[in-house]
């Protein structure tokens, strides 16, 4: 049997109380993640308590920066979602959101497809492709209230990949695991060019741990100029300055 005591305690600190069904979904997520991880590279973290803390609690820490997710049926996109972080834990805890998960690796999308079916998740769209290629006006440009991304790229690159997806007035929130004063400074002009405005950052330690977390918040204040994002590969190879 799985012991969810610490998980429940951690989530209390975020004012999140899960139903039995949601707890079962998280357990099943853990099982599928570790099963599929035997045959494809999804995560280096496989211990039950570690997955709960470093993947699930960490993903849900978003409520510290964007509490609106509790009430709104917001349109949310997770860029470079990998095995579903942070998007899938957010969808389990806040089932009313409309979620898009995007990743350039086909095998990860296959896993997410199976996961969504097994967990019975509704209103989840999976996109296999590069972030640079789906931000066209005929695709997903400026359609989201919130774009999230964890462990994908530096802030300048990430802003070019993510801000085009966000509606004016919406937010891009980047999960960072260290202090990013220099990285933020280097990305300032890029964020401006892309129509964003740095709103601030929420820094904290994950509950009952020594894991530092920084949620860096950018508001979209103007439409992103058509020339962004540049062609696939350019944002990472030659970050905007
Ligand atoms: N967000 C997940 C997490 O925190 O566990 C996965 C992080 S993993 C280190 C980075 C992911 O970003 C990979 O799955 C990779 O395929 C994806 N990725 C990197 N660049 C991308 C791009 N330009 N467009 C779409 N996905 C991208």
């Amino acid at each position: 049997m799985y012991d969810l005591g610490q998980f429940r305690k951690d989530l209390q600190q975020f004012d999140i109380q899960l139903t039995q069904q949601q707890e079962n979904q998280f357990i099943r997520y853990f099982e599928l993640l570790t099963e599929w991880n035997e045959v494809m590279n999804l995560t280096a973290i496989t211990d039950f308590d570690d997955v709960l803390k470093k993947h699930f609690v960490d993903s849900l820490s978003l409520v510290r920066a964007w509490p609106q997710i509790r009430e709104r049926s917001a349109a949310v996109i997770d860029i470079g979602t990998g095995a579903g972080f942070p998007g899938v834990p957010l969808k389990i805890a806040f089932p009313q959101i409309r979620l898009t998960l995007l990743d350039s690796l086909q095998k990860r999308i296959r896993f997410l497809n199976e996961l969504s079916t097994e967990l019975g998740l509704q209103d989840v769209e999976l996109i296999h492709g590069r972030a640079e290629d789906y931000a066209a006006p005929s695709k997903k440009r400026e359609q989201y209230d919130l774009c999230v991304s964890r462990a994908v790229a530096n802030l300048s690159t990430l802003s070019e990949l993510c801000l085009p997806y966000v509606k004016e007035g919406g937010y891009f929130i980047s999960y960072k695991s260290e202090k990013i004063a220099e990285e933020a400074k280097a990305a300032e002009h890029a964020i401006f060019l892309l129509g964003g405005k740095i709103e601030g950052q929420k820094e904290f330690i994950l509950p009952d741990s020594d894991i530092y977390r920084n949620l860096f918040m950018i508001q979209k204040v103007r439409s992103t100029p058509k020339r962004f994002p540049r062609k696939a590969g350019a944002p990472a190879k030659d970050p905007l300055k």
Side-chain angles (χ1 to χ4, degrees), residues 48-75:
F48 181 66
D49 293 326
D50 282 348
V51 169
L52 295 187
K53 183 88 75 185
K54 296 179 184 168
H55 284 323
F56 298 166
V57 174
D58 184 35
S59 296
L60 295 175
S61 71
L62 180 91
V63 296
R64 302 286 305 271
W66 211 71
Q68 299 93 304
I69 199 163
R70 296 174 190 278
E71 283 106 42
R72 295 188 46 196
S73 60

Side-chain angles (χ1 to χ4, degrees), residues 141-142 155-160 163-164 168 172 183-199 216-228 240-241:
R141 196 176 189 84
E142 303 198 332
L155 198 58
S156 174
T157 300
L158 211 48
S159 297
E160 187 170 358
L163 275 169
E168 275 179 66
F172 159 45
E183 191 181 325
K185 190 98 197 105
E188 242 172 42
H189 190 238
I191 292 167
F192 167 77
L193 287 177
L194 293 157
K197 177 171 136 301
I198 296 174
E199 169 130 334
F216 198 86
M217 295 178 279
I218 297 172
Q219 190 180 23
K220 177 101 168 231
V221 290
R222 276 173 291 106
S223 190
T224 301
K226 275 205 209 90
R227 64 182 189 282
F228 302 122
L240 292 171
K241 290 180 190 75

Side-chain angles (χ1 to χ4, degrees), residues 13-168:
Q13 294 206 27
F14 297 146
D15 252 326
I16 295 175
Q17 192 160 11
L18 300 176
T19 62
Q20 182 72 57
Q21 189 207 348
Q22 287 168 314
E23 289 189 351
N24 292 341
Q25 286 174 310
F26 275 112
I27 289 172
R28 195 70 195 116
Y29 190 0
F30 164 75
E31 290 175 341
L32 286 168
L33 178 71
T34 45
E35 268 170 41
W36 282 60
N37 202 43
E38 309 258 312
V39 289
M40 65 174 69
N41 178 18
L42 290 173
T43 178
I45 299 166
T46 53
D47 170 73
F48 181 66
D49 293 326
D50 282 348
V51 169
L52 295 187
K53 183 88 75 185
K54 296 179 184 168
H55 284 323
F56 298 166
V57 174
D58 184 35
S59 296
L60 295 175
S61 71
L62 180 91
V63 296
R64 302 286 305 271
W66 211 71
Q68 299 93 304
I69 199 163
R70 296 174 190 278
E71 283 106 42
R72 295 188 46 196
S73 60
V76 179
I77 186 166
D78 180 3
I79 297 289
T81 186
F85 305 116
V88 175
L90 290 170
K91 177 68 186 172
I92 296 173
F94 307 108
Q96 82 288 358
I97 64 172
R98 289 162 286 139
L99 178 66
T100 301
L101 301 169
L102 184 147
D103 201 280
S104 53
L105 267 190
Q106 173 70 50
K107 57 183 187 171
R108 299 205 167 129
I109 296 293
R110 256 201 297 129
F111 166 71
L112 294 170
N113 190 23
E114 170 79 10
L115 179 71
S116 308
T117 307
E118 274 262 344
L119 301 187
L121 303 179
Q122 308 285 320
D123 264 336
V124 176
E125 182 180 20
L126 305 177
I127 299 180
H128 167 228
R130 301 196 55 147
E132 295 92 320
D133 296 330
Y134 277 83
S138 60
K139 294 183 173 160
K140 300 289 179 186
R141 196 176 189 84
E142 303 198 332
Q143 293 195 7
Y144 294 91
D145 302 297
L146 176 68
C147 175
V148 286
S149 191
R150 188 183 82 160
V152 174
N154 68 64
L155 198 58
S156 174
T157 300
L158 211 48
S159 297
E160 187 170 358
L161 298 182
C162 291
L163 275 169
Y165 288 92
V166 180
K167 290 179 192 166
E168 275 179 66

